[in-house]
Amino acid sequence: MQAANPRRGYILGLTAYIIWGLFPIYFKALQSVPAVEIIVHRVLWSALFGSVLLLFWKHPGWWRELRDNPRRLAILALSGSLIAGNWLTYVWSVNNGRMLEASLGYYINPLINVLLGMLLLGERLRRLQWVAVGLAAVGVAQQVWQVGSLPWVSLVLALSFGFYGLIRKKAPVAALPGLVVETWMLVPLAIGWLLLNPLANSAQPAFYTTTEALWLIAAGPVTLIPLVCFNAAARHLPYTTLGFLQYLAPTLVLLQAVLLFGEHMSNSTLVAFMFIWAGLALYSVDAWLSLRRRA
């Protein structure tokens, strides 16, 4: 087994989260293509590129394990539906001026994971975790009170990704084979959508001479490269370290929303973010203290 190399782990982890954080620039380049159509192509090209990658990046016995455990295939079908819904919401939010809400959703996500662990896995929350989740809840409630409606983009992103992680925990399949199987299960739906929408941009032969076509084809590697980097980083770094690095992606999304794409951060949104950030700070302190106790 390869010895852990923290320096390599940090480089790979930072690469993964920086790419995820810069996704809005990629999706803005496809703003003329409807969000559903982008996801259709993301499914098709991820399935294709993922299959090619599996030929070179060996995962011995993964297909035999799935074949012998059909329940895992059913679980991957469910997790694939969740990740497709997450992708669709994210792309729609980026291309409809709702990047701040998307960023908020991924800040909330770690705290949603803690809550799901308590409610569905019987995990007990430590005192600081209770306070962290409470602060996040106050941040969301404050948004509801000020805006008069739920920040649905944030909640859909946080909950869909939280349940996705929970379901994948129940199906112990390596990251790349799991994603390949998930996307292949969605391929019939993607092809069906193209057949039912003959007037779609990408259903026209002339479309494939445009720049947008190249961006759509790039959806395969753009989806897989950060996943491969993250998977490799996980072998070299403690999971808690990866947990801290994950805040980089929504921070980059937040900065792009305000500085690059001119989204306005109102005082009420800033207050909501401050509650979420305070919750995340406590969550991080709790994780660090827990790690020290175990050490």
Side-chain angles (χ1 to χ4, degrees), residues 45-265:
W45 296 110
S46 294
L48 179 63
F49 279 91
S51 301
V52 171
L53 194 56
L54 267 181
L55 295 175
F56 298 97
W57 191 14
K58 302 295 183 185
H59 287 76
W62 68 270
W63 176 246
R64 195 183 317 111
E65 282 182 29
L66 282 176
R67 188 192 61 203
D68 296 342
N69 295 275
R71 183 172 168 272
R72 288 187 191 175
L73 282 171
I75 290 172
L76 287 174
L78 179 57
S79 64
S81 302
L82 279 169
I83 200 64
N86 181 275
W87 288 351
L88 180 60
T89 307
Y90 184 77
V91 173
W92 181 89
S93 67
V94 167
N95 287 344
N96 284 273
R98 307 284 282 271
M99 283 171 59
L100 285 172
E101 285 183 58
S103 170
L104 184 64
Y106 286 111
Y107 277 124
I108 293 172
N109 179 245
L111 304 174
I112 290 286
N113 291 343
V114 171
L115 203 56
L116 290 176
M118 180 193 74
L119 295 174
L120 301 177
L121 299 179
E123 296 175 359
R124 296 184 65 181
L125 297 195
R126 296 183 289 271
R127 191 175 303 156
L128 280 180
Q129 288 179 321
W130 273 114
V131 178
V133 171
L135 284 167
V138 169
V140 172
Q142 188 269 347
Q143 277 286 86
V144 174
W145 180 59
Q146 285 285 345
V147 181
S149 62
L150 277 170
W152 68 267
V153 168
S154 307
L155 293 176
V156 167
L157 288 173
L159 287 167
S160 60
F161 204 69
F163 276 105
Y164 173 76
L166 191 70
I167 288 169
R168 282 300 300 270
K169 195 180 176 80
K170 294 291 185 183
V173 183
L176 180 62
L179 183 69
V180 170
V181 173
E182 285 169 348
T183 48
W184 272 106
M185 285 180 164
L186 294 167
V187 162
L189 290 175
I191 293 172
W193 187 91
L194 286 172
L195 293 174
L196 290 170
N197 291 274
L199 298 179
N201 293 339
S202 57
Q204 316 306 315
F207 176 77
Y208 291 92
T209 62
T210 66
T211 312
E212 282 90 349
L214 293 175
W215 282 113
L216 279 181
I217 292 168
V222 160
T223 299
L224 292 167
I225 288 169
L227 179 77
V228 170
C229 290
F230 175 83
N231 201 30
R235 295 184 208 153
H236 297 285
L237 292 175
Y239 205 68
T240 46
T241 304
L242 280 177
F244 294 134
L245 287 179
Q246 78 178 6
Y247 304 138
L248 180 62
T251 302
L252 285 172
V253 174
L254 171 66
L255 291 172
Q256 288 167 85
V258 175
L259 302 176
L260 208 55
F261 299 115
E263 287 194 25
H264 173 64
M265 181 181 276

